[in-house]
Amino acid sequence: MMTVDEMSEDQQVITIHPVGKIHVHCAQAAKLNELELQKTELQRQKTEVDKLKQQIQVKQVAFSASLLASGSGTLGPFNTHTLLTFRYVITNIGNAYNPHTGFFIAPVRGAYHFEFCIGAGGHDSHPSGAVLVKNGEHILLAYEQTSGYGTSAMGTTLLLEVGDVVFLRQWVNSRIFDNENHRRTFSGHLRFTM
């Protein structure tokens, strides 16, 4: 039988003594244990950094869009409330606004501020109006009826849960005009998370 001094370092990892007990070389076991602890700590730190990156990205939510992507035109009047899709995206940080559906979907729970501006040339029978909607519920209405050119704007702050949907509906029997100056807008941003 070889003694520990006669073995190479690789052979010294495990030695079996005649009494049948297994002994692990203490120095190598300590190094292995230290490496495992470092690996665990590194993984914990990486997870924490990933969480912080995600929190920073989620806190960056803002959008602004105007009604028409190009040209000019009047929408309406329609005999029912009609979903408005603001096609010309000016800003969409966080991609929470979808210009194809007109929906803003909250990516995180928090207080969000929304503003919108609508208007059209005056008409005795057809005002200009739009309502802000949260999850199907009418929240507030911007409405203007004048014989001249009229504009109406509204703003509010809403507490939203993850997945809540906010959008605008054109008011029944109303008209909204927009052109290349992009004056009819829908905007929103996250004020703070909750």
Side-chain angles (χ1 to χ4, degrees):
M1 175 169 210
M2 295 173 69
T3 67
V4 173
D5 294 331
E6 296 171 340
M7 294 182 183
S8 70
E9 266 190 39
D10 292 339
Q11 294 172 324
Q12 292 179 20
V13 174
I14 299 176
T15 57
I16 301 177
H17 291 270
V19 288
K21 293 185 179 179
I22 299 176
H23 295 279
V24 177
H25 189 264
C26 291
Q28 288 183 341
K31 285 181 184 179
L32 183 61
N33 190 35
E34 183 181 339
L35 286 174
E36 286 297 323
L37 290 173
Q38 288 176 351
K39 181 180 174 184
T40 301
E41 177 61 17
L42 183 62
Q43 187 61 37
R44 186 195 66 75
Q45 289 176 358
K46 182 183 180 309
T47 301
E48 185 66 26
V49 167
D50 289 345
K51 284 180 185 178
L52 291 171
K53 283 181 182 177
Q54 185 178 19
Q55 287 174 356
I56 288 169
Q57 288 175 344
V58 167
K59 289 181 182 179
Q60 297 176 348
V61 179
F63 78 96
S64 190
S66 70
L67 198 55
L68 298 180
S70 63
S72 65
T74 300
L75 298 178
F78 302 109
N79 62 3
T80 185
H81 296 299
T82 304
L83 174 69
L84 290 172
T85 54
F86 290 75
R87 304 272 184 188
Y88 182 74
V89 176
I90 300 161
T91 303
N92 197 7
I93 300 166
N95 294 314
Y97 176 73
N98 184 327
H100 304 291
T101 64
F103 293 162
F104 172 85
I105 300 175
V108 64
R109 183 177 193 266
Y112 293 82
H113 185 77
F114 295 94
E115 295 178 357
F116 60 102
C117 177
I118 51 98
H123 193 283
D124 292 335
S125 301
H126 302 293
S128 183
V131 63
L132 184 74
V133 179
K134 172 188 168 188
N135 296 332
E137 175 189 355
H138 286 201
I139 302 299
L140 52 88
L141 170 70
Y143 186 90
E144 179 71 34
Q145 184 156 6
T146 180
S147 58
Y149 189 85
T151 298
S152 182
M154 292 294 284
T156 190
T157 299
L158 300 173
L159 173 60
L160 300 182
E161 301 295 332
V162 173
D164 280 352
V165 179
V166 176
F167 60 94
L168 290 177
R169 281 189 183 138
Q170 184 171 346
W171 197 251
V172 65
N173 203 33
S174 70
R175 302 167 0 131
I176 300 176
F177 174 80
D178 197 16
N179 62 19
E180 59 278 350
N181 295 318
H182 306 292
R183 297 175 61 190
R184 305 302 156 229
T185 58
F186 179 33
S187 302
H189 65 274
L190 174 66
R191 294 183 57 93
F192 51 86
T193 58
M194 305 267 304

